[in-house]
């Protein structure tokens, strides 16, 4: 499914290992490829699609009422749900809460999520065709020329920038910690992308480019290692990946900040998942 252009053996080997790890992670049992619904909870007990029981919230706590005959068990302990259980989350938190169905009563897991200050549930079905028919994400061929050095310009303090998400009913926030400044082949001007900080000081940038909606999804992201002492990083667009919302309509993935758009065709990294 993936074709590669010539590069050094070491570069190709590292990239191929990255691609193998990426595809393996996507194909996990209750990963993003298994999402089958996203539903907001109401303030009165009500049924939801694809899951038994009655679900509700008072705004701070989520409630599930079910009978033993419904076959629902807790994900963490496997204990059956017979009566009413509760859970409380902070915004942007998720909990793999209960499961049901199939011979082992684990075919479907229900994720409780707090998004935009509201409770929602998402069902994750381990038999979803999106997962069972998955054969890896299509990618562009390896592009050594799109592995560039960037300089990180940190802000004095992080800046919270309001953004949209893949779900129009969910607002997001991009915590910008600084900008990555770099050049791309064939362009005589610098590019600047706002970055978020991840674990251990790594940086992630979410960006638009001129391939979006044609050969790639509407936006992608790419991560770097922690900046070196001189604040330089390697920005490898061959490692640009899709957000979960590229694979499922039930994601709430963050859009890029307004200025993270490149007037350039980044023909590297992951393509739109529906392309062969």
């Amino acid at each position: 499914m993936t074709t590669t252009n010539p590069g050094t053996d070491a570069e190709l080997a590292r990239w191929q290992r990255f691609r193998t790890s990426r595809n393996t992670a996507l194909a996990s049992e209750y990963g993003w490829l298994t999402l089958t619904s996203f539903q907001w909870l109401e303030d009165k007990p009500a049924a939801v699609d694809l899951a038994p029981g009655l679900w509700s919230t008072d705004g701070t706590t989520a409630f599930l009422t079910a009978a033993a005959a419904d076959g629902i068990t807790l994900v963490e302990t496997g204990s059956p749900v017979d009566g009413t259980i509760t859970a409380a989350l902070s915004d942007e938190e998720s909990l793999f809460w209960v499961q049901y169905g199939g011979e082992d009563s684990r075919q479907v897991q229900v994720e409780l999520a707090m998004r935009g200050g509201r409770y929602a549930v998402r069902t994750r079905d381990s038999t979803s065709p999106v997962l069972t028919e998955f054969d890896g994400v299509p990618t562009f061929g390896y592009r050594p020329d799109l592995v560039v050095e960037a300089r990180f310009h940190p802000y004095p303090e992080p800046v919270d920038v309001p953004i949209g998400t893949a779900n129009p009913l969910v607002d997001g926030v991009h915590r910008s910690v600084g900008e990555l400044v770099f050049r791309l082949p064939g362009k005589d001007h610098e590019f600047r992308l706002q970055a978020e900080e991840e674990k251990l000081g790594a940086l992630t940038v979410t960006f638009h480019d001129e391939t979006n909606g044609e050969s790639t999804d509407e936006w992608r992201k790419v991560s770097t290692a922690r900046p070196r002492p001189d604040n330089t990083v390697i920005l490898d667009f061959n490692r640009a990946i899709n957000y979960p919302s590229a694979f499922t309509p039930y994601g709430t993935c963050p859009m890029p900040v307004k200025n993270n758009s490149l007037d350039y065709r980044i023909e590297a990294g992951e393509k739109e998942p529906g392309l062969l």
Side-chain angles (χ1 to χ4, degrees):
M1 180 173 293
T2 299
T3 58
T4 58
N5 295 324
T8 70
D9 290 343
E11 289 171 337
L12 284 175
R14 284 193 294 270
W15 182 62
Q16 289 164 349
R17 288 195 296 271
F18 169 79
R19 292 304 322 153
T20 298
S21 297
R22 165 68 171 162
N23 286 326
T24 299
L26 277 172
S28 60
E29 187 175 17
Y30 297 106
W32 295 113
L33 304 185
T34 67
L35 286 177
T36 52
S37 72
F38 178 100
Q39 300 161 86
W40 298 109
L41 296 189
E42 303 295 337
D43 58 4
K44 295 180 180 180
V48 299
D49 293 338
L50 306 181
L54 298 176
W55 305 74
S56 63
T57 178
D58 63 3
T60 59
T61 302
F63 302 88
L64 165 61
T65 300
D70 290 320
I72 300 178
T73 62
L74 293 170
V75 169
E76 184 175 1
T77 64
S79 301
V81 177
D82 188 6
T84 299
I85 59 173
T86 65
L89 302 176
S90 299
D91 203 29
E92 295 303 315
E93 285 188 336
S94 292
L95 170 68
F96 284 86
W97 198 12
V98 297
Q99 58 197 0
Y100 64 92
E103 294 183 0
D104 60 0
S105 300
R106 296 179 61 250
Q107 176 181 324
V108 179
Q109 288 194 352
V110 183
E111 171 197 4
L112 179 68
M114 172 74 86
R115 297 292 183 270
R118 299 173 64 189
Y119 278 104
V121 290
R122 292 194 285 205
T123 50
R124 295 177 181 245
D125 189 333
S126 61
T127 66
S128 167
V130 180
L131 172 63
T132 59
E133 298 174 8
F134 179 66
D135 190 32
V137 187
T139 71
F140 291 98
Y142 184 76
R143 289 279 301 272
D145 60 325
L146 290 180
V147 182
V148 300
E149 184 174 89
R151 182 170 295 278
F152 178 53
H153 292 198
Y155 296 149
E157 297 290 340
V159 177
D160 286 342
V161 182
I163 56 171
T165 73
N167 186 319
L169 299 178
V170 177
D171 294 328
V173 174
H174 183 283
R175 174 153 286 193
S176 298
V177 296
E179 297 178 348
L180 289 179
V181 182
F182 56 96
R183 293 183 180 273
L184 289 170
K187 289 289 187 178
D188 59 5
H189 64 272
E190 289 186 329
F191 295 90
R192 307 179 77 93
L193 295 178
Q194 292 184 47
E196 289 187 292
E197 187 175 74
E198 307 295 343
K199 293 180 180 179
L200 303 177
L203 301 174
T204 294
V205 290
T206 302
F207 66 95
H208 291 293
D209 74 270
E210 292 184 347
T211 66
N212 295 163
E214 178 188 308
S215 53
T216 62
D217 196 50
E218 294 301 320
W219 64 88
R220 294 180 288 169
K221 67 176 178 178
V222 63
S223 297
T224 76
R226 181 176 182 169
R228 302 163 177 148
D230 64 355
N231 271 347
T232 59
V233 297
I234 297 300
L235 187 58
D236 184 354
F237 284 103
N238 295 286
R239 298 192 178 211
I241 64 173
N242 295 315
Y243 272 98
S245 54
F247 304 94
T248 171
Y250 307 116
T252 58
C253 305
M255 292 180 175
V257 296
K258 182 178 179 180
N259 295 326
N260 275 21
S261 295
L262 304 175
D263 59 335
Y264 196 90
R265 296 182 62 83
I266 300 293
E267 294 180 320
E270 292 186 350
K271 294 183 178 181
E272 199 279 321
L275 296 176
L276 299 178

